[in-house]
Amino acid sequence: MKIILLSDVASLGKKDDVVEVSAGYARNSLIPKHLGEEATPANLNNLKLRKKHEAKIEKENLEKALELKKKIEDWKVEVSIKTGEGGRVFGSVSTKEIAEAAEKQYGVKIDKKKLECDVPVKAPGGYDVNVRLHRDVTAVMHVHVSGTN
């Protein structure tokens, strides 16, 4: 019996795969647990349309990410950090502070979890921060940290 998997099943396949299984396994396990559905012509057509729709959405998301990458790479985000005598820093600048500064200065909300700093931002100066916008798109945002007393 042919089954369309509705979620990943160990040793069978991934979601949206069409697999051949025994009729008993399909009727007694996969279908009642909503792990799969019978591969009827209507269900196969729905699968085809769903995959086509997902591909369209993925393409749109990639295009938006590429547009945002161009914008982000032109930015120079200014962040201030409290310093003491001799330019010593109290703490470090977190990704949350960088994300908030970028939103304040440019009006674009960036998730702090998408920011990746190679080195800790513990001193005044310029830093490059990677921003993961999409699984295939990573932008480099320039951050300038200035010290205040």
Side-chain angles (χ1 to χ4, degrees):
M1 174 179 235
K2 284 194 174 187
I3 295 290
I4 300 170
L5 295 178
L6 300 176
S7 62
D8 294 352
V9 178
S11 75
L12 264 186
K14 298 200 177 281
K15 181 182 178 199
D16 294 337
D17 285 351
V18 178
V19 294
E20 185 76 33
V21 296
S22 68
Y25 181 51
R27 283 194 204 106
N28 296 324
S29 183
L30 295 176
I31 294 173
K33 292 179 183 176
H34 302 289
L35 297 174
E37 64 185 2
E38 191 174 350
T40 62
N43 289 341
L44 288 171
N45 189 38
N46 288 341
L47 172 67
K48 179 180 164 187
L49 293 174
R50 187 169 59 238
K51 282 186 176 182
K52 187 175 179 181
H53 180 69
E54 289 171 359
K56 180 183 173 190
I57 289 174
E58 180 69 23
K59 183 179 176 187
E60 289 173 0
N61 288 341
L62 179 62
E63 289 171 358
K64 287 178 185 176
L66 289 171
E67 273 182 39
L68 187 56
K69 177 184 178 179
K70 289 178 186 175
K71 290 180 184 177
I72 287 176
E73 290 184 340
D74 292 336
W75 293 355
K76 188 167 186 179
V77 178
E78 297 288 333
V79 179
S80 63
I81 188 169
K82 190 171 183 176
T83 58
E85 290 181 21
R88 292 193 51 163
V89 175
F90 300 109
S92 64
V93 177
S94 67
T95 56
K96 179 181 178 184
E97 293 170 322
I98 294 171
E100 288 172 354
E103 184 177 1
K104 221 180 254 185
Q105 293 169 22
Y106 296 100
V108 175
K109 187 169 179 74
I110 297 174
D111 186 8
K112 69 177 183 175
K113 295 174 188 166
K114 305 273 185 195
L115 299 176
E116 299 172 343
C117 297
D118 294 337
V119 293
V121 182
K122 291 189 172 192
Y127 295 89
D128 288 337
V129 177
N130 293 327
V131 183
R132 285 179 286 115
L133 301 171
H134 185 269
R135 79 169 173 256
D136 299 331
V137 180
T138 302
V140 177
M141 179 169 51
H142 305 289
V143 178
H144 183 265
V145 179
S146 59
T148 60
N149 289 335

